[in-house]
């Protein structure tokens, strides 16, 4: 059943209310958070044709600005451009280079990519992908996870198992996470490859360098994509400092932005924000939208991108902002 608000959106759209909503949201920068853009019919992320359609809407109807320029204006208390939209990408998958970058270039849209440096350096791959991979490859059917006090029937409940296990991993100290995942691999009878399999492949540094030279901004998304609040202090500092240093050495440019892995409110706290500042960053991005996204530069609010074009329109034309203000 449609919610009352969805019905209101549909009516608003047919009556030209979108223009009113857009006007009301003119001073609310919409910072969009994307992850993966796929060229295949099935798989993780948003299909490249849908992404192109979304970018064409932005190029036509909005003022797409770089995150850096928007933050600089906010920092200097200068007026922000109206109808501002910012495009950001997390993680550093190669599909950004293959599928998203050509579209952004053809429409001359700025974007910032937050890379997980250990992933791009091929030293690790993203742990939620490891769990997904193990569950897909395993030949066993009944998986008992004592930590969850739950048995999953994998022929039926792979997605459920993935969500349960990944959610559990978000809650435990990071030092426990890797041993847990390694034990899971043994239990599932799967050998984890050292490098990411093709479907989870990262950008490489040549691609990052080429994009940086073409105007794509690059920020840090840590070294290994841990939940930052689950790290011991020394590891927290390593994740912040080493990722920044690696990108700076590779690109010969200062890195000013950090993007929280996972980035929900429970993954952010003042201690971590203080350490981000201490490591020399100038801002940090969260993974949830806020009414005043630039009010806290250590938790800049973002809208998760949506593959559904009407959901996308609700975000960019300001309907979602109305809900944030309620
Ligand atoms: Zn991420």
């Amino acid at each position: 059943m449609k919610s009352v608000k969805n019905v209101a959106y549909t009516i608003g759209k047919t009556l030209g209310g979108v223009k009113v909503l857009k006007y009301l949201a003119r001073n609310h920068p919409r910072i969009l958070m994307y992850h993966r853009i796929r060229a295949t019919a099935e798989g993780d992320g948003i299909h490249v044709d849908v992404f192109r359609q979304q970018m064409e809407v932005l190029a036509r109807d909005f003022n797409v600005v770089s995150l850096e320029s928007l933050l600089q204006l906010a920092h200097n208390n200068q007026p922000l451009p109206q109808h501002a939209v910012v495009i950001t990408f997390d993680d550093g998958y190669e599909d950004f280079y293959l599928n998203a970058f050509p579209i952004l270039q053809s429409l001359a849209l700025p974007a910032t990519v937050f890379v997980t440096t250990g992933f791009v350096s091929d030293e690790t791959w993203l742990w939620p992908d490891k769990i997904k991979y193990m569950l897909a490859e395993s030949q066993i059917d009944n998986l008992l996870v004592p930590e969850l006090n739950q048995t999953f029937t994998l022929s039926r409940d792979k997605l459920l198992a993935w969500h349960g296990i990944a959610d559990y991993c978000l809650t435990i100290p990071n030092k426990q996470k890797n041993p847990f995942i390694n034990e899971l691999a043994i239990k599932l009878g799967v050998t984890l490859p050292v490098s990411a399999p093709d479907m989870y492949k990262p950008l490489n540094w040549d691609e990052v360098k080429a994009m940086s030279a073409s105007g794509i901004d690059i920020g840090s998304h840590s070294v290994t994509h841990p939940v930052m609040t689950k790290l011991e202090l020394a590891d927290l500092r390593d994740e912040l400092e080493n990722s920044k240093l690696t990108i700076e050495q590779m690109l010969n440019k200062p890195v000013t932005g950090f993007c929280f892995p996972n980035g929900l409110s429970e993954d952010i706290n003042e201690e971590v924000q203080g350490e981000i500042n201490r490591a020399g960053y100038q801002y940090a991005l969260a993974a949830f939208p806020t009414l005043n996204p630039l009010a806290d530069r250590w938790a800049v609010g973002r809208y998760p991108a949506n593959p559904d074009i009407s959901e996308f329109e609700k975000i960019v034309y300001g309907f979602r902002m109305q809900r944030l203000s309620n």
Side-chain angles (χ1 to χ4, degrees):
M1 200 175 82
K2 277 191 168 183
S3 72
V4 172
K5 279 178 175 170
N6 267 319
V7 172
Y9 169 74
T10 309
I11 294 168
K13 201 177 168 185
T14 40
L15 297 181
V18 165
K19 277 188 182 156
V20 176
L21 287 171
K22 188 184 167 199
Y23 177 76
L24 291 174
R26 68 196 181 282
N27 294 320
H28 170 70
R30 276 134 286 176
I31 305 173
L32 305 178
M33 169 180 67
Y34 287 90
H35 289 90
R36 303 201 61 176
I37 305 299
R38 62 182 156 83
T40 51
E42 300 287 319
D44 291 345
I46 294 177
H47 192 273
V48 64
D49 292 343
V50 174
F51 180 70
R52 185 181 297 107
Q53 199 184 349
Q54 296 187 350
M55 293 305 105
E56 283 167 357
V57 169
L58 297 185
R60 187 185 67 221
D61 270 4
F62 294 91
N63 196 356
V64 183
V65 295
S66 77
L67 182 63
E68 295 280 337
S69 66
L70 195 68
L71 285 161
Q72 201 58 49
L73 290 171
H75 191 63
N76 296 333
N77 283 320
Q78 286 175 297
L80 303 180
Q82 295 198 335
H83 307 295
V85 173
V86 169
I87 302 162
T88 69
F89 272 80
D90 289 8
D91 296 335
Y93 288 101
E94 192 176 46
D95 54 24
F96 176 82
Y97 179 74
L98 299 176
N99 301 327
F101 178 53
I103 294 171
L104 295 170
Q105 272 213 310
S106 72
L107 295 168
L109 299 176
T112 304
V113 181
F114 292 90
V115 298
T116 311
T117 57
F119 183 38
V120 176
S121 296
D122 215 7
E123 290 157 5
T124 187
W125 41 303
L126 299 188
W127 62 265
D129 292 340
K130 288 183 180 175
I131 298 170
K132 207 179 272 182
Y133 174 87
M134 292 191 282
L135 292 169
E137 294 291 311
S138 182
Q139 300 298 317
I140 73 159
D141 198 29
N142 288 310
L143 172 68
L144 169 68
V145 185
E147 291 84 351
L148 296 175
N149 199 15
Q150 211 171 342
T151 301
F152 297 99
T153 307
L154 296 184
S155 52
R156 199 183 56 207
D157 294 334
K158 257 179 205 157
L159 195 62
L160 191 73
W162 181 74
H163 280 293
I165 294 165
D167 284 349
Y168 170 72
C169 285
L170 293 170
T171 65
I172 58 177
N174 197 59
K175 278 230 152 69
Q176 287 175 25
K177 190 185 70 197
N178 287 339
F180 171 76
I181 290 173
N182 291 339
E183 268 172 49
L184 197 65
I186 294 166
K187 220 186 282 184
L188 287 164
V190 175
T191 307
L192 280 172
V194 177
S195 297
D198 276 354
M199 66 188 299
Y200 302 117
K201 209 174 164 197
L203 292 162
N204 62 54
W205 286 112
D206 285 341
E207 291 162 344
V208 176
K209 283 178 192 170
M211 293 191 293
S212 171
S214 302
I216 297 287
D217 288 322
I218 307 294
S220 163
H221 197 38
S222 79
V223 179
T224 69
H225 207 278
V227 173
M228 302 303 277
T229 54
K230 303 295 180 194
L231 292 168
E232 291 170 9
L233 183 60
D235 295 332
L236 174 60
R237 289 183 172 170
D238 278 350
E239 291 279 347
L240 292 168
E241 290 165 8
N242 292 344
S243 57
K244 188 173 190 294
L245 195 64
T246 300
I247 303 168
E248 288 175 344
Q249 284 173 345
M250 287 293 178
L251 303 182
N252 214 7
K253 281 182 191 173
V255 168
T256 54
F258 181 76
C259 173
F260 281 97
N262 217 48
L264 301 180
S265 58
E266 63 266 29
D267 308 317
I268 297 172
N269 65 27
E270 280 184 15
E271 186 205 352
V272 176
Q273 289 172 315
E275 289 298 327
I276 297 170
N277 188 357
R278 182 183 175 277
Y281 295 96
Q282 288 167 23
Y283 65 90
L285 298 189
F288 54 89
T290 53
L291 190 55
N292 295 302
L294 306 177
D296 178 359
R297 71 180 163 118
W298 302 113
V300 172
R302 293 187 296 169
Y303 289 98
N306 200 300
D308 181 309
I309 197 75
S310 79
E311 290 300 320
F312 169 81
E313 287 177 348
K314 285 182 193 178
I315 295 167
V316 293
Y317 287 102
F319 180 78
R320 285 282 306 280
M321 186 203 82
Q322 295 301 320
R323 288 166 70 174
L324 290 173
S325 57
N326 287 340

